Amino acid sequence: MASSILRRPWEKLLAYAALSITGFIMVFPFIYMVLSSLKPSTEVVQVPPTLWPSEIRWSNYLEVLNIVPLGTQLINTVIVTVLVVLGWVITSVLAGYAFARLDFPGREFLFGAYLATLMVPFAVLIVPMYRLMLVFGWVDRLEALIIPWLFTAYGTFLLRQFFMSVPKDLEDAALIDGASHWGILFRIFLPLARPAIATLATFAFLYAWNSFLWPLIIISSPARKVVTQGLVDLQALYAARVDLIMAGSTLAVLPTLIVFLFAQRYFIEGIATSGLAGR
């Protein structure tokens, strides 16, 4: 026992060292991307490569915004992403609560059928969705990037599982006090589900922000393109300007990094809460 206790500090030190090295390896490409975006164009491609720029050029970012309408495309991406995140959260909360706590005929069958849609590849849906967009007149419009993605079986499944883990005594006590199902949802379940909702919102943000295939098919006007399309256009027009490509990539990645830093606390809270509850 004594020897085991003496080894614990060394075990922790080795674990922290391994985690630090692994974390640095994962973060290094992002660090190199940001530093390369600030280098002169000749320094980015020189051999052997350098890490720190000899001259910091913030003008690379202005040049990117002038070459490609990346500013407009970033605004389009923000609009699409915010509305998709709100759609995911609202529809998943309502559907998850209904499937978890409301008794109605065919509940299990409907949930199973809804969940089965996760098994359908997106490639199968491209042609039917495109024809629907033609019918509604949404081709080359932002509505085509928003409305089809307001509903998600994954989010419904995630929140249904969380709502089912909430003790039924809380719901019964609220019903005895005269609370309606809307009151139970907003006053009891939603405060408890903040970690799950934050996780779902983060996944929705990453999905909408990084979406490329569907925008590539449905959007053609430069003024309505999203940031992933703008990066492809930038690479096609200026493949030799690695510094500009790195600057555009940094602008595209920065919002996802900010969202992750803000949502990290909720991930930790969700893990801690799950551990205390024994789930």
Side-chain angles (χ1 to χ4, degrees):
M1 180 65 69
S3 60
S4 176
I5 295 175
L6 290 176
R7 282 201 304 268
R8 286 179 182 174
W10 295 103
E11 292 174 357
K12 290 183 179 180
L13 181 61
L14 291 175
Y16 290 151
L19 291 173
S20 300
I21 294 173
T22 304
F24 177 76
I25 292 174
M26 297 180 66
V27 172
F28 181 77
F30 298 99
I31 297 175
Y32 186 79
M33 177 183 67
V34 174
L35 294 177
S36 298
S37 69
L38 299 173
K39 294 179 181 179
S41 58
T42 56
E43 188 177 349
V44 180
V45 295
Q46 75 177 22
V47 179
T50 59
L51 181 61
W52 298 101
S54 60
E55 177 188 354
I56 297 179
R57 290 196 174 182
W58 296 103
S59 58
N60 289 341
Y61 290 91
L62 296 177
E63 192 172 352
V64 167
L65 295 176
N66 291 329
I67 292 173
V68 180
L70 203 61
T72 302
Q73 293 166 359
L74 282 170
I75 294 175
N76 293 339
T77 310
V78 169
I79 294 173
V80 171
T81 302
V82 169
L83 293 178
V84 169
V85 169
L86 289 176
W88 274 39
V89 170
I90 293 173
T91 58
S92 297
V93 165
L94 296 177
Y97 179 79
F99 283 124
R101 294 299 188 177
L102 300 182
D103 291 325
F104 55 89
R107 183 184 69 173
E108 299 301 326
F109 174 78
L110 288 175
F111 178 71
Y114 192 35
L115 205 60
T117 59
L118 292 174
M119 303 176 64
V120 180
F122 177 67
V124 177
L125 303 176
I126 290 177
V127 174
M129 286 179 58
Y130 190 86
R131 292 182 64 87
L132 280 175
M133 298 304 104
L134 286 174
V135 171
F136 291 122
W138 291 343
V139 174
D140 200 23
R141 294 174 60 90
L142 293 182
E143 288 89 338
L145 303 180
I146 299 170
I147 296 177
W149 310 113
L150 294 180
F151 313 92
T152 167
Y154 168 77
T156 301
F157 172 76
L158 177 68
L159 290 179
R160 173 187 178 269
Q161 297 305 112
F162 185 89
F163 290 152
M164 290 182 67
S165 67
V166 176
K168 199 170 187 309
D169 293 342
L170 294 176
E171 183 180 3
D172 293 339
L175 289 173
I176 292 174
D177 289 338
S180 63
H181 283 291
W182 288 106
I184 294 172
L185 174 61
F186 286 104
R187 295 181 182 180
I188 297 177
F189 282 82
L190 285 187
L192 294 174
R194 283 187 305 173
I197 293 174
T199 302
L200 176 63
T202 304
F203 287 152
F205 178 90
L206 294 175
Y207 178 84
W209 189 272
N210 296 323
S211 179
F212 173 69
L213 180 58
W214 179 243
L216 181 65
I217 294 172
I218 206 69
I219 301 295
S220 57
S221 301
R224 296 189 180 95
K225 288 185 176 181
V226 293
V227 67
T228 51
Q229 295 174 281
L231 292 178
V232 173
D233 293 341
L234 179 64
Q235 187 174 6
L237 294 172
Y238 294 88
R241 293 294 304 275
V242 182
D243 55 330
L244 299 184
I245 296 174
M246 292 295 184
S249 301
T250 301
L251 291 174
V253 170
L254 187 60
T256 61
L257 180 61
I258 294 174
V259 168
F260 173 77
L261 291 176
F262 277 101
Q264 186 181 17
R265 177 171 63 91
Y266 293 98
F267 282 115
I268 298 174
E269 181 181 347
I271 294 172
T273 304
S274 299
L276 289 176
R279 296 192 299 268

